[in-house]
Amino acid sequence: MEKERCGWSHQNEAMTRYHDEVWGVPIREDQQLFAKLMLDINQAGLSWNTILQKWDNFDHAYDHFEIAKVAAYPPEKVASLLQDPGIIRNRRKVAAAVNNAQRVLEIQQEWGSFSDYLWSFVDGKPVINDWASLAEVPATSPLSDKIAKDLKKRGFSFVGSTTIYAFLQAVGIINDHLVTCFRHQELVEETTQSK
């Protein structure tokens, strides 16, 4: 029998796989969190499917999102990224990657890890929502407002509340799989067992 999934996952095979294996799984590793934040920033104004199709290109172009390496990109590297047809060639988004990597390094100095900083907003436990339809899922929340405001105060760029909400969903800080989706309960059980 076909498993019930969130409606947005049926676009194509890559979206279904992303939905089933990646979206909403709690991430607590800084490199992966930074990579996901950068991908969500690049999605601004575009569809997630566009970014998903370019994910491998982004990973290669940005040196696997190695935080210290991206933070130290010289102007020549930035110029080469702006010529790379495999990624989103937006000058402000490329600049945001370098700037935000530098800001992540500062958070690591202060908090020990970017993960500890992000997860502190939810006391280390995912927020589990119980939406019955996609129409109920918000674009922002008081939590995304709070984190976006704090990131901006720390000098991050391209971190509006909508982008941050999408990021929080993707990295499992918020579980927004619909209650009818098989992944909703699986993730609830996985996060309960891992405590």
Side-chain angles (χ1 to χ4, degrees):
M1 198 173 92
E2 182 67 27
K3 288 178 175 173
E4 185 92 21
R5 291 178 170 86
C6 299
W8 60 263
S9 70
H10 301 294
Q11 258 181 293
N12 55 50
E13 194 180 319
M15 286 286 269
T16 302
R17 197 165 51 248
Y18 174 72
H19 169 274
D20 290 2
E21 299 169 14
V22 179
W23 195 72
V25 176
I27 295 175
R28 296 178 189 266
E29 199 276 315
D30 282 11
Q31 199 95 349
Q32 292 174 23
L33 287 165
F34 175 66
K36 195 65 192 65
L37 180 60
M38 290 307 95
L39 292 169
D40 278 316
I41 283 171
N42 273 278
Q43 187 204 341
L46 303 166
S47 75
W48 177 247
N49 188 47
T50 300
I51 301 302
L52 195 55
Q53 302 303 324
K54 293 176 178 278
W55 189 314
D56 289 341
N57 297 339
F58 270 105
D59 192 54
H60 177 73
Y62 281 94
D63 297 294
H64 311 295
F65 292 99
E66 198 176 308
I67 300 162
K69 195 175 262 191
V70 176
Y73 277 173
E76 308 81 65
K77 174 65 176 181
V78 171
S80 77
L81 288 169
L82 292 171
Q83 299 302 313
D84 188 335
I87 63 168
I88 305 303
R89 293 176 288 180
N90 177 304
R91 185 173 299 282
R92 289 177 58 227
K93 290 178 180 180
V94 173
V98 179
N99 172 68
N100 292 349
Q102 294 166 353
R103 305 294 74 82
V104 168
L105 292 176
E106 291 168 0
I107 285 176
Q108 288 175 330
Q109 286 291 310
E110 182 185 343
W111 282 81
S113 75
F114 187 43
S115 175
D116 285 351
Y117 162 76
L118 288 169
W119 283 93
S120 73
F121 286 94
V122 292
D123 295 324
K125 295 185 272 313
V127 173
I128 298 162
N129 288 321
D130 295 310
W131 313 119
S133 73
L134 288 176
E136 292 177 60
V137 182
T140 64
S141 70
L143 176 63
S144 66
D145 292 347
K146 184 178 180 181
I147 295 176
K149 186 177 176 185
D150 196 70
L151 288 169
K152 284 178 188 168
K153 193 177 79 187
R154 292 170 178 276
F156 281 74
S157 45
F158 263 97
V159 288
S161 189
T162 303
T163 296
I164 293 305
Y165 193 84
F167 168 69
L168 297 175
Q169 291 173 307
V171 301
I173 291 176
I174 294 175
N175 178 350
D176 263 354
H177 282 280
L178 301 182
V179 289
T180 52
C181 174
F182 80 99
R183 286 300 282 149
H184 183 274
Q185 193 54 38
E186 280 185 359
L187 286 168
V188 169
E189 288 166 10
E190 285 168 24
T191 52
T192 307
Q193 287 165 2
S194 65
K195 281 178 198 166

